[in-house]
Amino acid sequence: MRLFVAIRFTPEVQNTLIDCIKELKSSSLSGNFTRPENLHLTLAFIGETSNLNAAKKCMDAISCGKFDITLKGFGRFGDLWWVGLAENPKLSMLVKDLQQRLRDCGFNISTRPFRPHITIAREVKTVSDQIHLNVPNISMTVDRISLMKSERIEGKLIYTQLYAKHL
Ligand code: 2AM
């Protein structure tokens, strides 16, 4: 199965992101917009594995405690659009720790620098290059991290939480 570790959002943050998606949709010709239930922040992409227990153990070893995150800004990687987060040393330390633990367990985790982004749409074709999204700087407390399974069922991307580690 295809796994990743993520932060899932409070209803308030999710609703804010839904508004951003609506705004982007209204300025786009077409795009593959993230469904509300799929919105998340990836902390580590594990990829194909059957070793669920090893991934859970790595998550259990994290001892960073709760912390806050704040939405900030938006951007794009080519035709993929994202909402960003305010700089966050606690988040960076958590990701560094988690990714290293996963590597030490034998998972092939990318060594590319972590760029926190919440993907709100892929394959977007916009009318103009001058699109602005209004992203309110709202915050939430992160009190858990989730082990997610990603699968495609009848063409639809489905994410299922398999495990949650409380911080
Ligand atoms: P993306 O939103 O930037 O595409 C589930 O697929 C999550 O894992 C998504 O958030 C996705 O990031 C991320 N992801 C998918 N493939 C990845 C890869 N090869 N390396 C890093 N992250 C990946």
Side-chain angles (χ1 to χ4, degrees):
M1 58 196 137
R2 192 178 164 92
L3 300 182
F4 61 101
V5 183
I7 291 172
R8 305 178 83 196
F9 304 124
T10 57
E12 190 193 13
V13 168
Q14 198 185 39
N15 286 331
T16 301
L17 294 167
I18 292 169
D19 288 343
C20 295
I21 292 174
K22 281 187 192 148
E23 216 176 332
L24 177 60
K25 235 182 207 174
S26 68
S27 320
S28 304
L29 298 168
S30 63
N32 185 354
F33 298 90
T34 305
R35 287 183 294 114
E37 62 270 30
N38 278 359
L39 287 163
H40 68 275
L41 173 73
T42 298
L43 304 178
F45 180 72
I46 296 174
E48 279 302 326
T49 180
S50 55
N51 203 347
L52 192 59
N53 282 337
K56 282 185 189 172
K57 272 194 186 147
C58 293
M59 292 168 69
D60 283 341
I62 299 290
S63 60
C64 70
K66 298 176 192 175
F67 61 95
D68 288 353
I69 54 172
T70 304
L71 298 184
K72 187 180 175 189
F74 67 96
R76 45 190 281 202
F77 303 142
D79 63 3
L80 181 155
W81 284 68
W82 48 263
V83 166
L85 292 183
E87 202 182 312
N88 192 323
K90 285 188 180 160
L91 174 66
S92 304
M93 276 169 62
L94 162 63
V95 168
K96 201 172 161 201
D97 185 17
L98 174 68
Q99 292 194 350
Q100 193 53 51
R101 286 177 191 279
L102 289 165
R103 273 183 214 110
D104 292 346
C105 276
F107 293 114
N108 184 16
I109 307 295
S110 164
T111 52
R112 277 191 312 193
F114 175 63
R115 292 188 63 184
H117 65 278
I118 303 156
T119 299
I120 57 168
R122 295 182 166 80
E123 298 157 24
V124 177
K125 289 197 176 71
T126 51
V127 193
S128 108
D129 275 345
Q130 305 295 318
I131 291 171
H132 180 79
L133 301 181
N134 173 41
V135 181
N137 300 134
I138 63 159
S139 302
M140 64 170 264
T141 300
V142 177
D143 62 1
R144 78 194 70 178
I145 55 175
S146 300
L147 182 61
M148 307 296 295
K149 176 168 79 167
S150 163
E151 57 196 335
R152 220 167 249 288
I153 300 176
E154 293 172 359
K156 208 170 162 184
L157 197 52
I158 309 282
Y159 297 147
T160 311
Q161 177 176 290
L162 301 181
Y163 181 65
K165 151 75 182 165
H166 290 260
L167 299 175

